[in-house]
Amino acid sequence: MGNLVDDLGGMPTLEVVIADFVARIARDPMIGFFFAKVDLSRLVQLELQFAARTLGAEVAYDGRPLRQAHQQLRIADGQFNRRRELLRQTLRDHAVPDAVERTLLEHTERLRAAVTHFAGQGCNHPTAGSLMVEVSADGRESAVDWP
Ligand code: HEM
């Protein structure tokens, strides 16, 4: 089986990329607040293990299951998308092989439901999807069709 970590230059190279990625998410104006109290060097190690396994390397993962690690954070789809975009930019800046970029981004997308609060369904309000919602004086909401 092909191991994409070797294609990339081994674990030391992947660690440089992941450390840069974690630094970027931690200082990002949109999602950086999530990491304010997180031990970033520990996070780098766990993200490194996780990414290496995704790329086919046989290393142990010492972290929690992803659903469990993210449940209390109530991550929205847009915040998930922001992390994915920062990952894409980091991988581009480090000029990783196409197969590495594709594998990590596709794997990210498959984990959306485990990581986000609304399980990838976007807004889960009962009237979501209608263009306008009327709220009457008694507080009842009804969907209004766009003229
Ligand atoms: C598929 C996408 C994602 C992957 C693969 C991923 C991966 C990981 C891993 C491996 C850990 C360590 C688990 C542990 O602490 O035991 C972790 C923790 C964490 N992740 Fe993610 N993550 C993803 C999405 C996100 C997003 C979108 C955010 C926020 C915008 C986020 C914020 C965090 C935070 C704050 C922690 C630390 C939790 C804590 O220390 O309690 N993650 N993530």
Side-chain angles (χ1 to χ4, degrees):
M1 195 181 77
N3 178 343
L4 291 173
V5 176
D6 292 340
D7 296 354
L8 181 72
M11 287 296 278
T13 307
L14 183 58
E15 181 165 358
V16 169
V17 175
I18 296 295
D20 185 11
F21 168 61
V22 168
R24 291 185 198 207
I25 57 179
R27 67 166 181 258
D28 185 63
M30 182 171 167
I31 61 171
F33 71 92
F34 280 108
F35 303 93
K37 291 176 182 166
V38 171
D39 177 346
L40 294 181
S41 50
R42 174 180 170 274
L43 185 61
V44 168
Q45 290 311 310
L46 295 177
E47 291 261 11
L48 172 64
Q49 294 167 356
F50 196 85
R53 291 174 64 93
T54 303
L55 296 172
E58 292 185 16
V59 303
Y61 170 62
D62 300 322
R64 293 167 287 171
L66 282 208
R67 187 181 296 276
Q68 194 184 315
H70 297 87
Q71 205 160 21
Q72 309 89 311
L73 300 174
R74 302 169 68 92
I75 296 167
D77 270 324
Q79 293 163 333
F80 182 93
N81 295 347
R82 180 64 184 156
R83 178 191 183 277
R84 190 190 52 194
E85 173 59 16
L86 292 172
L87 178 59
R88 194 188 66 79
Q89 290 175 6
T90 308
L91 297 173
R92 285 282 158 88
D93 289 349
H94 288 268
V96 306
D98 284 350
V100 169
E101 177 176 331
R102 209 178 331 111
T103 301
L104 289 177
L105 293 177
E106 284 175 1
H107 190 241
T108 294
E109 200 49 53
R110 285 200 297 280
L111 293 168
R112 180 184 288 269
V115 167
T116 57
H117 186 59
F118 296 113
Q121 293 166 18
C123 176
N124 70 347
H125 189 277
T127 51
S130 41
L131 289 167
M132 287 170 63
V133 175
E134 188 96 74
V135 183
S136 60
D138 63 4
R140 249 184 320 192
E141 295 181 11
S142 54
V144 177
D145 287 334
W146 200 250

